Amino acid sequence: MNKQEIMSRLQNKNLDFDVIYLESVDSTNNFAKGYNNTKNLLVAAKKQTGGRGRYGKSFASPEGKGLYFTLRINMPPQNPVFFPLIAAMAVSCAVSSLCGIELDIKWPNDLLYKTDDGYKKLCGILVEASGGSASYIIVGIGVNINNDITDFPDELKNIVSSLKIISGKEYDLTGILCETVDEFMRLMYISSEELLEEYRTRLLLGVDISFAQDGTIYKGRAAGINENGNLIAKLENGEEIIIQSGEIGIL
Ligand code: BTN
């Protein structure tokens, strides 16, 4: 992968942005935050030495095995609360059309694959707002593509997977990157109603979940999303709870 190849294979020229490809970086999100230019940015790396996940977790980013990239977008047309949803949709659509593998979205933005041994995570997304006065949004996306199970740390081996582990095939990283970015650009410019309608079709609904709210752990069922992209959980007693943030577990 290199900058020229990425630029030539992107179809959607809606947004003018700098493209940077790095052999190694601590985190493409960190790089995007420190990038001293006002243009929109796509930065991808062959490996990350300090890939970051949500809630202070790390993101395993072995060299050449997965996609590790960040889009930094100035003053987005869509409401920023929809960006985690847009990113998850973009990866799920790209993987579906290029690899024929259907990944489900675990609200708000993890991508999972259903196996006989439960759901396995293939993609994580870390959306961060700009600090200070600059108004841009940082969308970091990590996808496990050509990883073997031995590429993951022991503590993750039971809960993660990759496209190669699922299908036995290796995939072209640049193709998936460019298709994801193109999908992202398409989704960024559709109405929030259309976006939520598409998102619902890929969202894991009807599954039993656990979640925490105000210090209480609840069990319920993922029942739907509202117009703000919040998850609606239905408890056993029929009560509905709106989940605006945090992580849900699949039971
Ligand atoms: C998660 O699963 O909690 C989110 C993982 C996000 C990983 C991506 S890889 C590219 C970008 N750079 C980072 O340091 N993190 C994101």
Side-chain angles (χ1 to χ4, degrees), residues 27-29 48 51-54 59 69-70 121 124-125 140-142:
S27 151
T28 54
N29 271 27
Q48 294 184 121
R52 294 189 289 111
R54 296 170 80 205
F59 186 82
F69 67 101
T70 297
K121 176 164 163 170
I125 290 161
I141 300 178

Side-chain angles (χ1 to χ4, degrees), residues 25-30 43 45 48 50-61 67-70 109-110 121 123-128 138-143 247:
V25 70
D26 59 343
S27 151
T28 54
N29 271 27
N30 292 353
V43 54
Q48 294 184 121
R52 294 189 289 111
R54 296 170 80 205
Y55 310 110
K57 292 182 200 161
S58 58
F59 186 82
S61 316
L67 276 178
Y68 322 114
F69 67 101
T70 297
N109 60 5
D110 279 348
K121 176 164 163 170
C123 167
I125 290 161
L126 180 63
V127 177
E128 301 181 282
I138 288 180
V139 185
I141 300 178
V143 195
E247 193 162 23

Side-chain angles (χ1 to χ4, degrees), residues 69 71 78 81-98 101-112 123-125 127 139-141 143 176-177 179-188 190-204 225 229:
F69 67 101
L71 284 161
Q78 275 280 7
V81 300
F82 291 126
F83 272 74
L85 285 54
I86 291 175
M89 284 278 302
V91 178
S92 179
C93 291
V95 167
S96 172
S97 65
L98 293 181
I101 294 174
E102 299 307 322
L103 300 179
D104 297 313
I105 301 175
K106 186 188 84 157
W107 185 89
N109 60 5
D110 279 348
L111 291 184
L112 308 181
C123 167
I125 290 161
V127 177
V139 185
I141 300 178
V143 195
I176 299 175
L177 170 69
E179 183 70 17
T180 301
V181 174
D182 282 335
E183 276 296 319
F184 195 100
M185 296 305 152
R186 177 182 73 80
L187 293 162
M188 208 164 65
I190 65 175
S191 70
S192 55
E193 290 78 17
E194 284 175 288
L195 174 68
L196 291 170
E197 204 176 302
E198 279 200 42
Y199 180 77
R200 257 184 221 107
T201 65
R202 293 180 183 265
L203 182 64
L204 259 183
I225 44 164

